Amino acid sequence: SIDDFGTGNSSLAQLRDIPFGELKIDDRTITLSHLKGQRGGTDDTVEIFGVVKDLATETPSYDVTVESPRLTLNDELRKAVPATITRIWDLYQPTGALGLRLEARREPEVNAKPTLEMTVTCLGNTAIAGALEYPVSDLTGSIHYHAPFVDLNHLEAKHGSATIQVHGTIELDPAGNDFNLKIGGTGVPFDEALLRTMPEEFRNLLI
């Protein structure tokens, strides 16, 4: 449904591609309720809800959430996400599909900075274990981003027949990321990929 649309410079033509749940517009506020759509060329569904306020000002405030139970990871999606998320993407090089909840906010105070939080649910993905350059598959668990931190929550994956578990936090920094991770595994092969994850001093003791 649409309330109070057609005032000012608005036009129905601008909304032809929006899959309506409910969109309410007045002089100062847009309210989004359960807007649902499908990404072109995929089976992915996306839902958007939230509110944008103070439209008459140069810095409107907002609190908007985007959710999807499944988003296909492809180059089109990579180009659409913010630069900070792109850096995380490039660090782990995931493939497959992910569940997503993204929350974007800006408080009404003057000069308030936008904030972005994102929770990703892994759906059996393949990836590279970040700076460790350790390839894994069948990845499950969740990843929560809240700048400048990335929380890895009970990630579990396969490396060949081995099972790998990762839990902890990464602090993103252009000068170099800081890692505080706990990594465990069962049946882990002593292979070249594992050697690459080790500090050079320790690796030299083993080869």
Side-chain angles (χ1 to χ4, degrees), residues 73 87-96 126-130 133 136:
L73 298 173
R87 289 197 293 271
I88 299 171
W89 188 314
D90 292 343
L91 180 64
Y92 290 96
Q93 301 175 40
T95 62
T126 62
I128 301 294
E133 298 183 1
V136 296

Side-chain angles (χ1 to χ4, degrees), residues 108-191:
E109 290 80 10
V110 176
N111 297 324
K113 294 183 178 180
T115 62
L116 179 70
E117 288 195 37
M118 180 180 70
T119 301
V120 164
T121 303
C122 302
L123 303 174
N125 308 87
T126 62
I128 301 294
L132 300 178
E133 298 183 1
Y134 196 69
V136 296
S137 61
D138 302 319
L139 181 62
T140 59
S142 66
I143 301 169
H144 179 61
Y145 167 75
H146 52 113
F149 300 101
V150 180
D151 300 326
L152 310 181
N153 300 312
H154 304 292
L155 295 183
E156 185 168 298
K158 292 290 187 180
H159 176 75
S161 60
T163 300
I164 311 293
Q165 298 93 22
V166 182
H167 185 79
T169 299
I170 302 169
E171 184 175 0
L172 301 177
D173 189 325
N177 299 326
D178 291 328
F179 296 84
N180 183 11
L181 302 175
K182 294 181 179 179
I183 302 172
T186 56
V188 179
F190 192 76
D191 57 9

Side-chain angles (χ1 to χ4, degrees), residues 1-126:
S1 66
I2 306 175
D3 284 3
D4 299 332
F5 193 80
T7 60
N9 295 320
S10 60
S11 165
L12 283 172
Q14 296 174 353
L15 300 181
R16 62 185 179 274
D17 296 323
I18 294 180
F20 290 111
E22 183 175 67
L23 174 65
K24 299 180 69 175
I25 303 175
D26 62 26
D27 290 340
R28 297 177 180 268
T29 302
I30 298 176
T31 302
L32 312 170
S33 299
H34 306 297
L35 299 180
K36 296 182 179 181
Q38 185 171 339
R39 286 183 63 210
T42 73
D43 294 327
D44 302 350
T45 58
V46 180
E47 182 173 351
I48 304 172
F49 52 92
V51 63
V52 182
K53 297 181 178 180
D54 304 316
L55 294 175
T57 69
E58 293 183 1
T59 56
S61 62
Y62 52 82
D63 186 347
V64 176
T65 298
V66 179
E67 282 190 334
S68 175
R70 183 184 187 280
L71 279 179
T72 302
L73 298 173
N74 55 25
D75 191 55
E76 178 186 78
L77 181 61
R78 182 186 175 279
K79 292 176 180 177
V81 300
T84 302
I85 307 302
T86 302
R87 289 197 293 271
I88 299 171
W89 188 314
D90 292 343
L91 180 64
Y92 290 96
Q93 301 175 40
T95 62
L98 297 168
L100 175 71
R101 180 182 175 90
L102 189 148
E103 300 171 74
R105 299 186 185 90
R106 182 189 301 194
E107 300 298 331
E109 290 80 10
V110 176
N111 297 324
K113 294 183 178 180
T115 62
L116 179 70
E117 288 195 37
M118 180 180 70
T119 301
V120 164
T121 303
C122 302
L123 303 174
N125 308 87
T126 62

Side-chain angles (χ1 to χ4, degrees), residues 198-206:
M198 298 178 180
E200 184 177 359
E201 297 84 357
F202 186 58
R203 186 168 60 243
N204 290 338
L205 296 173
L206 300 173

